Amino acid sequence: MGDSVLTAAVLLFDMDGTLVDSTASVERAWGRFAGRHGLEASAILAVAHGRPTIEVVAEFAPHGVDVVAETDRIEAEEIDRTDGISEIPGSAALLGGLDRDRWAVVTSATRALTLRRLAAVGIPLPKILVAADDVTRGKPHPQPYMLAAKALGFDAAEAVVFEDAPAGLASARAAGAATVVVGDYKGEASEGLPRVPDMLSVSVSASGSGMTVTLA
């Protein structure tokens, strides 16, 4: 199969599973949450990836649990514990070679946790970051990707998005962006989309006023 080639004015990247492998850290955090409340961690993990923490806590927390306080506790634990996270191969090099005015990170994590994880694995910090703190409707709603493109001065239809999770893929597609699946997710949300295993398979070159994105 030949390379896939896309054109874009801006590039928008999810964080967890796209730029940073935080699977072990996330699973431990939800495991602790489940243990505190007598819940099944597997049920939580089946739907948590790519969604804002507070939404998942609200869905699963037993009646009477302070959702905001519990969310704050989970976030604090994850900020304090960066052991076990790593760079998705090629992420730092790819972002380090891009014009900072032409890319953004769009994540369901909080701003503090995002900056902590990116710094911990040596990935350049974005000029534009749309985090859970910045939206009124998180992924799978298109708002996060629409806001990020607008902050860069473009429409989401002019963006290429890199995502790994169903909620994020749905968000990007609903925003009208060309969407690339990162990793091995093969569910309904990924149908018909180009795919890369990691950022080593992505190259970007200038093309007129935009960029050419080649997926190996």
Side-chain angles (χ1 to χ4, degrees):
M1 181 183 293
D3 295 345
S4 296
V5 179
L6 304 170
T7 58
V10 293
L11 304 179
L12 307 177
F13 299 88
D14 174 49
M15 180 182 64
D16 291 313
T18 299
L19 300 175
V20 175
D21 183 353
S22 57
T23 302
S25 178
V26 170
E27 289 182 350
R28 287 196 299 267
W30 286 119
R32 291 190 295 269
F33 168 74
R36 286 194 294 271
H37 302 292
L39 304 170
E40 289 291 334
S42 59
I44 300 170
L45 290 168
V47 299
H49 191 48
R51 295 175 59 197
T53 301
I54 194 166
E55 291 185 4
V56 180
V57 172
E59 181 175 338
F60 286 93
H63 180 71
V65 170
D66 185 329
V67 171
V68 173
E70 189 66 35
T71 300
D72 289 345
R73 177 174 179 175
I74 292 169
E75 293 286 341
E77 289 174 348
E78 292 196 84
I79 289 171
D80 287 342
R81 304 177 188 189
T82 58
D83 56 304
I85 70 171
S86 60
E87 172 201 8
I88 297 292
S91 297
L94 177 64
L95 297 188
L98 297 177
D99 180 343
R100 293 182 73 240
D101 291 324
R102 291 300 187 101
W103 65 275
V105 170
V106 184
T107 176
S108 294
T110 62
R111 180 170 293 268
L113 180 57
T114 300
L115 295 176
R116 174 73 165 145
R117 283 184 174 164
L118 293 175
V121 298
I123 292 176
L125 301 183
K127 183 175 180 179
I128 298 297
L129 166 62
V130 174
D133 322 55
D134 303 313
V135 299
T136 56
R137 301 192 68 179
K139 303 173 185 179
H141 194 275
Q143 185 188 76
Y145 281 109
M146 294 173 70
L147 286 177
K150 183 177 180 180
L152 291 168
F154 294 89
D155 187 89
E158 300 173 274
V160 170
V161 169
F162 293 88
E163 263 284 0
D164 74 303
L169 293 168
S171 173
R173 297 182 84 166
T179 307
V180 179
V181 184
V182 180
D184 57 7
Y185 170 73
K186 294 183 173 65
E188 183 178 353
S190 69
E191 290 181 2
L193 298 178
R195 176 186 301 275
V196 293
D198 52 40
M199 292 300 148
L200 291 173
S201 298
V202 181
S203 60
V204 180
S205 58
S207 178
S209 60
M211 293 173 279
T212 296
V213 182
T214 303
L215 311 175

